[in-house]
Amino acid sequence: MSLMEQILALHSVDVQVRALRGRLDSAKHYLKTQETHMRDLQAQRDEVELQRKHTQAQIANLEMEANGVGVQIQKMRDELNNSGNTKQYSAILTGLKSLELQKDNFEQQALAQMEKVEQLVARIAQFDVKLGERTTLHDKATTELHDRTKETSERLGELDRERALAASHVPAPSMTIFDEVANMHDGEAVSTVMTVDARSREYACTACNVEIPYQLYSRLLGDGTSLIQCLSCKRILYLEMAELEAASKRKPAAKSV
Ligand SMILES: [Zn+2]
């Protein structure tokens, strides 16, 4: 096998490994996204729940205060009924009015806080609906990842072994180039070269359409001991059989010119 044939053999298994791993990675990524959404929602819900608890505690305090004042009011009313003279009566009455205002104030504040609690409870309910929807999506994503892992793990193991075998035939420097370019182009490490115009020796990389100089093209027709890369996209270049045949037919004619 020539170096390029080894590279093409490696490439054909490499793209399969990448495709399969890509499917697994996208399922993992989807699950992670769902987990992040759920965590965010839960954190927001916890925050609102904390506010609800604080507000509930404030209501309890306000009600306690109002009850305390209520007891004082009751006491004063008794005193009022038993008051001996007009002066004492009017003093108690003034105190009583002030206390009633205080009690009313506490009750109003408690009422306002109760409305706030109602709003917070409604928001918590909204979060629960959203969390329910997210849980469904999260469960689906978990199943999807589990199924994909199950269906691909065996095949992926085989392909990894095939890839390692194909890679073992490729010399280290060429392997480095292959890995670099494959990573650069999501596995599209190789590209064919097409003849744009044989007479004027115009050739192009079929992946990026950039012109391939004739010097490079003629090296592709050579012994194939080193890899030739596109000057623009860096993909490893090769000639398809039809192109090779066409080129070999053109060669003698080119020499005679
Ligand atoms: Zn190119």
Side-chain angles (χ1 to χ4, degrees):
M1 256 210 257
S2 72
L3 175 60
M4 196 57 222
E5 281 167 343
Q6 287 163 350
I7 288 288
L8 288 175
L10 173 64
H11 170 68
S12 84
V13 63
D14 184 75
V15 288
Q16 293 177 66
V17 171
R18 280 174 191 268
L20 221 51
R21 200 150 273 153
R23 266 171 58 83
L24 268 186
D25 286 348
S26 70
K28 277 181 198 164
H29 179 75
Y30 184 65
L31 178 59
K32 237 184 197 166
T33 309
Q34 296 313 321
E35 281 168 355
T36 309
H37 282 314
M38 279 189 75
R39 255 204 314 276
D40 289 351
L41 268 178
Q42 190 62 52
Q44 288 175 48
R45 189 199 183 278
D46 289 349
E47 176 69 26
V48 178
E49 174 63 20
L50 201 66
Q51 280 181 40
R52 188 195 65 80
K53 277 186 183 160
H54 280 164
T55 316
Q56 203 77 61
Q58 280 176 335
I59 292 171
N61 276 341
L62 288 164
E63 281 173 344
M64 213 169 67
E65 299 277 8
N67 285 341
V69 179
V71 171
Q72 279 176 268
I73 288 172
Q74 195 51 54
K75 246 192 209 167
M76 272 202 162
R77 279 199 182 128
D78 292 344
E79 282 173 29
L80 197 67
N81 290 335
N82 301 325
S83 65
N85 58 54
T86 319
K87 201 180 167 191
Q88 201 185 8
Y89 183 89
S90 81
I92 296 171
L93 199 62
T94 309
L96 193 59
K97 273 184 183 159
S98 155
L99 280 179
E100 273 167 350
L101 272 176
Q102 253 186 56
K103 185 170 181 273
D104 193 46
N105 189 22
F106 283 134
E107 283 168 352
Q108 289 300 323
Q109 281 185 56
L111 220 60
Q113 296 296 69
M114 278 176 203
E115 275 172 26
K116 198 179 158 190
V117 165
E118 267 174 38
Q119 288 165 5
L120 292 172
V121 166
R123 279 182 65 195
I124 289 169
Q126 284 172 356
F127 278 121
D128 285 341
V129 171
K130 280 188 196 168
L131 272 168
E133 289 165 0
R134 280 285 164 202
T135 306
T136 309
L137 288 176
H138 178 269
D139 291 350
K140 266 188 194 167
T142 309
T143 311
E144 177 81 8
L145 178 59
H146 179 261
D147 290 351
R148 279 197 194 181
T149 308
K150 212 169 115 187
E151 72 190 33
T152 57
S153 64
E154 200 180 325
R155 182 73 189 122
L156 202 54
E158 280 170 20
L159 284 171
D160 277 337
R161 283 190 291 278
E162 277 178 44
R163 191 192 185 280
L165 184 66
S168 71
H169 297 306
V170 178
S174 301
M175 198 59 222
T176 306
I177 293 173
F178 178 85
D179 282 337
E180 269 175 19
V181 184
N183 288 335
M184 199 187 295
H185 295 295
D186 284 332
E188 281 183 46
V190 297
S191 171
T192 54
V193 174
M194 64 175 176
T195 301
V196 179
D197 184 349
R199 280 194 179 183
S200 54
R201 291 178 168 174
E202 278 180 47
Y203 307 94
C205 165
T206 54
C208 72
N209 289 320
V210 168
E211 192 184 340
I212 303 296
Y214 180 70
Q215 294 94 309
L216 282 190
Y217 181 83
S218 62
R219 280 177 62 199
L220 286 168
L221 296 169
D223 56 7
T225 47
S226 62
L227 297 182
I228 293 151
Q229 291 175 263
C230 171
L231 298 177
S232 174
C233 70
K234 307 294 176 203
R235 285 183 180 85
I236 299 164
L237 300 172
Y238 70 103
L239 299 177
E240 279 181 331
M241 199 47 83
E243 183 69 34
L244 275 170
E245 281 167 7
S248 69
K249 275 178 199 160
R250 282 198 301 266
K251 250 188 174 176
K255 265 182 191 168
S256 68
V257 171

